[in-house]
Amino acid sequence: QVQLVESGGGLVQPGGSLILSCAASGSISSINAMGWYRQAPGKERNLVATITRGSTTNYADSVKGRFTISRDNAKNTVYLQMHNLKPEDTAVYSCNAMIRPKNLYERLYWGQGTQVTVSS
């Protein structure tokens, strides 16, 4: 069974840094684009950053210059480096990926999310 599992969330001070990772596992043929999303309490889920298989990146304006998305294709893992964190960055962060399982068609998979709390 194909899965995406996030890790690295936690409590951090304003101005601090945190690195999230999301690893895909299972019977995978290939992985195309991957991304990070976040959802704060009482708000809708919003895109944070995306990265293509060839490592072309895209960022939400709110995180540009502070966050960096990257991937290791050999490890089927996407990362989100977060710097100069602000209280408004507090949210559940989830990763997704377009994954083609072996013998199946490509579709979007989601991880279950990891909590990031930036406290003052």
Side-chain angles (χ1 to χ4, degrees):
Q1 183 68 40
V2 172
Q3 290 184 312
L4 289 171
V5 180
E6 302 95 336
S7 62
L11 178 64
V12 65
Q13 302 176 52
S17 298
L18 207 60
I19 301 176
L20 307 181
S21 64
C22 172
S25 63
S27 184
I28 296 171
S29 179
S30 62
I31 301 177
N32 202 344
M34 308 181 81
W36 287 96
Y37 293 72
R38 66 186 183 185
Q39 186 170 25
K43 296 186 177 181
E44 297 297 315
R45 184 169 59 194
N46 298 122
L47 184 146
V48 176
T50 61
I51 184 167
T52 68
R53 183 163 48 193
S55 294
T56 298
T57 59
N58 183 54
Y59 297 91
D61 288 340
S62 59
V63 307
K64 189 171 294 185
R66 299 189 298 122
F67 292 10
T68 301
I69 188 171
S70 61
R71 65 191 288 168
D72 186 333
N73 291 334
K75 296 181 178 179
N76 290 338
T77 299
V78 62
Y79 304 93
L80 186 68
Q81 301 179 57
M82 304 184 293
H83 302 290
N84 191 25
L85 283 161
K86 304 174 181 180
E88 51 262 44
D89 294 319
T90 295
V92 174
Y93 285 71
S94 302
C95 69
N96 71 5
M98 290 295 296
I99 301 175
R100 186 185 304 279
K102 292 180 180 176
N103 300 315
L104 296 175
Y105 296 110
E106 185 179 69
R107 75 168 182 87
L108 185 66
Y109 288 80
W110 284 91
Q112 296 189 56
T114 184
Q115 177 71 47
V116 172
T117 302
V118 185
S119 65
S120 59

